[in-house]
Amino acid sequence: MRERFQQLRITVSTCDKATAFAETFARQRRTFQTASDDVSDAVTAADTQMLLADESGERWRSEAAVIRKLEATIGVSAEQVMDELANVESALRTAGTLRDKTDRQARDAASRHGTAVTTVDNATDRAVAMATKATDVAERVHAILRLPGVTDTVEATERPEGATPAELVGWLRSNVTNAKQRPVSLDAVHIALDTLRDHVNLMFDVHRKTTSHEVLLVELIGGEGTHPLPTAAADLASRAETGRQAIMQSEAEVFSRFIVDGVATDMRKIIRLAKETIRDTSARVSAHRTSNGIGVRLKFADKDDVTEAVNRIRQLVAIADQVRSAAENEELSTLLRQTVQDAYNLNRAEGYGKALADSLDYRNWYIVEPVVLGPNDGQERTLKGAKLSEGELRYVTYLALISALDSHLSALPPIAPRLILLDDAYAMVDDHGRRILTSILVERDIDFMMTGFDLWLHYANIHSLDEYEIRSTGEETPTTAVRYHWDGQRHHLREV
């Protein structure tokens, strides 16, 4: 049994090997069959390629024969023929492109030609219409220019006779002077004519009519007949100039007889009063000193940049009337006349009154300079050479400003307001200086409105003062105005 079992195992093993071999053989057979099919396809393809090659070779041999015949006929090689053929084909393509471009340009030219023809026709029609209209307008202007008085306003040579309308219009444009090129309503013209009638009713009657050309024709009728407006205007201007010259001559005679003879005395009194006013003002302000002992006085001095005539007039006016000699009086009178005449020659339209006021204004001859006092006794310095601190410089400046304002306001009529407005007032000035400046304002009865930072003028000599403090809690919050009233003793909160 063991032997049979052993043989059975061998037989089973052999069968397994036979089965594996059979499967391997089957796979190899399938592979062979596939390869055989591929070989058959390759052979078939090769046969096809061979046929195609035979056909190509036959075609090549035919074309080669043709080429050899061509070479024998034209005497060039095939390469040269191919190059020439390529060049010809390229030239043919270029020619086709140029032909297409030329065709497009021809079509565009035809379109532009049509547009140009239409434009020229339209322009011709417009030109004819404009020429017709211009002719009508020129003829109308020509007729208007023939109206009496129209061409009399032209300051030029005599009007050309027999001129065409265009030439006459050109002559008018080239010769009219001072023409106002702004439109004026008909109502404004009639108002002006009414004014003219009121002014000349004693000499002329103003007659107005509208012509067939819709032109308002104005004529002045007087004892000598009818006058066109330009002619009458020239006559009136001549009369007005004659009257003005007579008035000017009368002014000159009055000036010579009555004004010049007394102007020296008046000027001497005014200058003496100005000096006394500056001296009194300087005496008041020089009594006040800053906490560092700095004060200021005012100096009434001659100006350096004046003419020699003005300088000599100042010297002669300073001499009392009883002391001036006859020669000095004659010299002063001559200088005054010449000074006024020079001012009049610069502006004749204003007359001698204006010339007198401008040329003999003594304020143009003198200057008020502040002189810095202290801090040492008897020490005086100019404002530029004092080397003051910022606060002291502002104190001196404010003091001089208030003094000048006081002198100016005192020279005005009593009805003039005595008021000063100061923005950022008393900046850099300490409280002692503020007290002095405010005291001077109150003493000289000058009302004031001021703005400033930390500006609280709670002084006993100020009996009534309203203050507004602008408060804000942040950059993006609105501001609030708080009003305080100072009655000289206490501080009260009031409604805004």
Side-chain angles (χ1 to χ4, degrees):
M1 287 297 291
R2 285 193 295 270
E3 291 177 0
R4 296 296 182 190
F5 179 74
Q6 186 65 28
Q7 289 177 358
L8 181 58
R9 291 180 60 184
I10 293 171
T11 301
V12 171
S13 176
T14 302
C15 289
D16 292 336
K17 292 179 179 180
T19 301
F21 178 76
E23 291 177 356
T24 301
F25 177 76
R27 286 196 301 273
Q28 292 177 351
R29 185 175 179 277
R30 287 193 298 271
T31 302
F32 174 77
Q33 186 62 40
T34 302
S36 178
D37 294 339
D38 293 339
V39 170
S40 297
D41 294 339
V43 171
T44 302
D47 292 339
T48 302
Q49 293 296 327
M50 287 297 292
L51 291 174
L52 293 175
D54 290 339
E55 291 176 359
S56 298
E58 186 64 28
R59 192 164 53 252
W60 180 82
R61 285 190 293 272
S62 175
E63 292 177 354
V66 173
I67 290 174
R68 284 194 294 274
K69 289 181 181 181
L70 288 173
E71 290 178 350
T73 302
I74 63 178
V76 295
S77 63
E79 290 78 4
Q80 292 176 339
V81 173
M82 296 302 293
D83 292 340
E84 291 294 333
L85 181 60
N87 292 335
V88 170
E89 291 177 349
S90 176
L92 181 61
R93 288 192 297 272
T94 303
T97 303
L98 292 175
R99 182 193 62 189
D100 296 340
K101 183 178 180 180
T102 303
D103 292 342
R104 289 194 300 272
Q105 291 177 348
R107 290 191 296 271
D108 294 341
S111 176
R112 289 196 295 271
H113 174 72
T115 303
V117 170
T118 303
T119 302
V120 169
D121 293 340
N122 295 335
T124 301
D125 296 339
R126 288 196 300 271
V128 172
M130 292 177 65
T132 303
K133 183 178 180 180
T135 301
D136 296 339
V137 172
E139 292 177 352
R140 184 173 182 271
V141 172
H142 191 272
I144 293 174
L145 293 178
R146 292 183 181 276
L147 295 175
V150 174
T151 57
D152 293 336
T153 60
V154 179
E155 299 177 3
T157 58
E158 186 178 356
R159 186 180 68 181
E161 296 295 337
T164 64
E167 293 174 346
L168 193 57
V169 172
W171 170 82
L172 183 65
R173 287 179 175 175
S174 61
N175 291 286
V176 171
T177 59
N178 299 326
K180 296 183 178 180
Q181 302 296 329
R182 63 180 182 87
V184 180
S185 66
L186 187 60
D187 292 339
V189 173
H190 283 293
I191 292 174
L193 291 177
D194 292 340
T195 304
L196 175 64
R197 180 193 59 198
D198 296 339
H199 288 168
V200 300
N201 58 358
L202 298 179
M203 296 179 289
F204 299 102
D205 289 332
V206 179
H207 181 260
R208 67 190 86 175
K209 65 179 179 178
T210 302
T211 66
S212 58
H213 299 286
E214 298 181 355
V215 176
L216 180 62
L217 190 64
V218 180
E219 295 177 332
L220 274 67
I221 303 175
E224 300 177 357
T226 302
H227 307 277
L229 187 59
T231 304
D235 182 46
L236 290 174
S238 177
R239 296 184 185 184
E241 180 62 23
T242 302
R244 191 173 70 87
Q245 293 293 338
I247 293 175
M248 289 168 49
Q249 182 64 28
S250 176
E251 285 183 351
E253 293 176 358
V254 171
F255 171 75
S256 299
R257 288 198 310 266
F258 302 105
I259 299 179
V260 174
D261 293 340
V263 71
T265 302
D266 293 339
M267 289 182 62
R268 185 170 183 273
K269 292 179 180 179
I270 293 174
I271 294 174
R272 184 176 67 248
L273 178 61
K275 289 182 178 180
E276 292 175 354
T277 302
I278 297 300
R279 184 177 63 251
D280 294 341
T281 303
S282 178
R284 288 195 304 270
V285 300
S286 61
H288 301 283
R289 297 295 181 100
T290 66
S291 55
N292 295 328
I294 298 297
V296 63
R297 72 174 179 86
L298 304 179
K299 177 182 178 182
F300 189 82
D302 296 342
K303 269 189 175 181
D304 297 331
D305 55 344
V306 296
T307 63
E308 294 182 1
V310 169
N311 186 41
R312 181 57 179 165
I313 290 174
R314 288 189 307 198
Q315 296 174 1
L316 294 174
V317 168
I319 303 175
D321 298 340
Q322 298 81 359
V323 179
R324 275 198 308 267
S325 63
E328 290 174 336
N329 285 332
E330 181 64 26
E331 180 184 5
L332 178 59
S333 178
T334 302
L335 290 174
L336 291 175
R337 283 192 180 94
Q338 187 60 45
T339 302
V340 175
Q341 187 65 38
D342 291 342
Y344 170 75
N345 292 334
L346 294 176
N347 190 3
R348 289 176 173 268
E350 297 292 342
Y352 275 103
K354 178 67 173 176
L356 181 65
D358 292 342
S359 61
L360 300 184
D361 187 353
Y362 77 96
R363 292 173 296 181
N364 298 324
W365 302 352
Y366 298 93
I367 187 174
V368 178
E369 297 178 342
V371 178
V372 179
L373 305 177
N376 299 326
D377 294 338
Q379 184 180 5
E380 294 186 358
R381 293 168 292 171
T382 62
L383 190 60
K384 293 183 178 180
K387 296 181 180 181
L388 302 176
S389 65
E390 186 71 19
E392 292 171 339
L393 180 61
R394 287 180 178 269
Y395 169 80
V396 171
T397 304
Y398 277 121
L399 199 56
L401 174 63
I402 295 173
S403 301
L405 179 65
D406 179 32
S407 299
H408 175 71
L409 295 177
S410 299
L412 297 179
I415 194 175
R418 299 177 59 82
L419 176 65
I420 184 172
L421 309 178
L422 294 175
D423 185 25
D424 195 13
Y426 298 163
M428 306 297 293
V429 179
D430 59 12
D431 188 67
H432 179 73
R434 295 182 182 186
R435 182 185 297 272
I436 294 175
L437 296 174
T438 307
S439 299
I440 295 176
L441 287 173
V442 174
E443 175 190 344
R444 302 310 301 166
D445 191 26
I446 299 177
D447 298 327
F448 53 87
M449 294 179 62
M450 301 179 177
T451 63
F453 175 76
D454 192 23
L455 188 63
W456 302 97
L457 307 179
H458 302 156
Y459 307 127
N461 63 326
I462 299 180
H463 304 296
S464 179
L465 177 69
D466 284 322
E467 297 175 338
Y468 291 84
E469 181 182 5
I470 308 301
R471 295 183 178 181
S472 176
T473 58
E475 295 182 357
E476 298 182 356
T477 59
T479 58
T480 303
V482 181
R483 178 188 175 189
Y484 299 96
H485 178 74
W486 171 257
D487 61 2
Q489 296 180 351
R490 290 181 299 174
H491 207 211
H492 304 276
L493 183 64
R494 295 287 177 86
E495 182 180 357
V496 177

